[in-house]
Amino acid sequence: MQSLIALAGQPSTTLADAGSDVQETVEPDDNTYEAVDLSKLSSKGKQYFGLTDDAKPILKNVNADLIIVEFLNVYCPSCQTQAAVLNQLHSEIQGNPNLMSKVRIMAIGVGNGKKETEQFKKERGIAFPILPDPKFEAYEKLAISRRTPYTVMLKRSKSGNLVQVDSHAGVIKSYESYLDKIKAAIGYSEDTLKLKQAQSQIDEVAERTELRLSGMELMPMVRESMRRASRDDNITIAPVRIPIRI
């Protein structure tokens, strides 16, 4: 796979054809966070992201300076713990006039369908959108961590591109410390963004030199967890441990 950070930093605005005044819109590469499809979001979710009818519903067009993307699985105990941290983080951001218009949070349900993510949102009181990823497509394309939860911070550059400036594998111990990271990232200069981008590329190479579970390996574990969670007619989200190698 090509470096997702390098791809995220590629220009995806308009480029003038040589010898012509006609401008062509270059779409983000499919293997980037910018290209994440948001078309299946509810109208409330699209409103939260500031997506207009005349803009393609992809992550690049979200009206925010900073975007937090969380990879989770609804049956993962650590992800269930993380949900409370992200809820508090979201609440703090929405209550801060300097952040509420600049920062957005979203999650991707790795191996989870729409009903599972909706139930998880309801039971955990989650106010931000969760995109179902039942076939592990987003996970395979984007996530470089071998486990969930995995949290990524994307900062918009002056050119409008999204650049990864931070990643965290595992539970965030304190929402306060992560909130400090967000406040710092909001003020990053273009030079700092370049340094963060380079560091992310190095981190990605280090991660990808080791094996992780593929979607095909993880799917049977998720199915077994779903079966155990729904043994009786009253289906609930059960804290079933999925043995992912770390």
Side-chain angles (χ1 to χ4, degrees), residues 23-170:
Q23 299 219 327
E24 178 185 358
T25 299
V26 179
E27 296 293 339
D29 188 286
D30 285 343
N31 294 330
T32 68
Y33 284 98
E34 292 184 336
V36 171
D37 184 9
L38 304 177
S39 61
K40 294 182 180 180
L41 284 178
S42 65
S43 57
K44 184 178 180 180
K46 291 179 180 177
Q47 183 179 11
Y48 170 69
F49 281 138
L51 294 170
T52 59
D53 294 336
D54 58 345
K56 187 174 181 179
I58 57 177
L59 198 62
K60 177 178 171 59
N61 293 330
V62 167
N63 185 19
D65 294 333
L66 199 75
I67 303 172
I68 309 301
V69 180
E70 171 85 351
F71 288 90
L72 58 80
N73 179 281
V74 301
Y75 304 107
C76 161
S78 295
C79 300
Q80 295 168 6
T81 299
Q82 181 96 315
V85 178
L86 293 178
N87 277 341
Q88 185 63 53
L89 188 64
H90 179 266
S91 177
E92 291 291 328
I93 290 170
Q94 292 303 106
N96 187 323
N98 295 322
L99 297 178
M100 64 182 300
S101 64
K102 298 177 180 179
V103 183
R104 292 293 180 266
I105 301 176
M106 65 169 289
I108 295 176
V110 180
N112 302 135
K114 183 177 180 181
K115 289 184 178 180
E116 293 170 294
T117 55
E118 287 180 347
Q119 184 177 354
F120 187 73
K121 281 191 65 176
K122 182 178 180 180
E123 292 190 355
R124 300 287 165 177
I126 296 173
F128 51 85
I130 302 180
L131 290 179
D133 186 27
K135 297 181 179 180
F136 299 85
E137 293 173 341
Y139 172 77
E140 292 290 351
K141 287 180 181 179
L142 303 174
I144 64 173
S145 176
R146 297 162 296 156
R147 61 173 175 167
T148 57
Y150 177 60
T151 312
V152 174
M153 185 185 297
L154 306 171
K155 175 74 167 64
R156 194 176 301 281
S157 67
K158 287 184 178 179
S159 64
N161 299 317
L162 294 175
V163 177
Q164 182 173 327
V165 295
D166 187 75
S167 63
H168 181 90

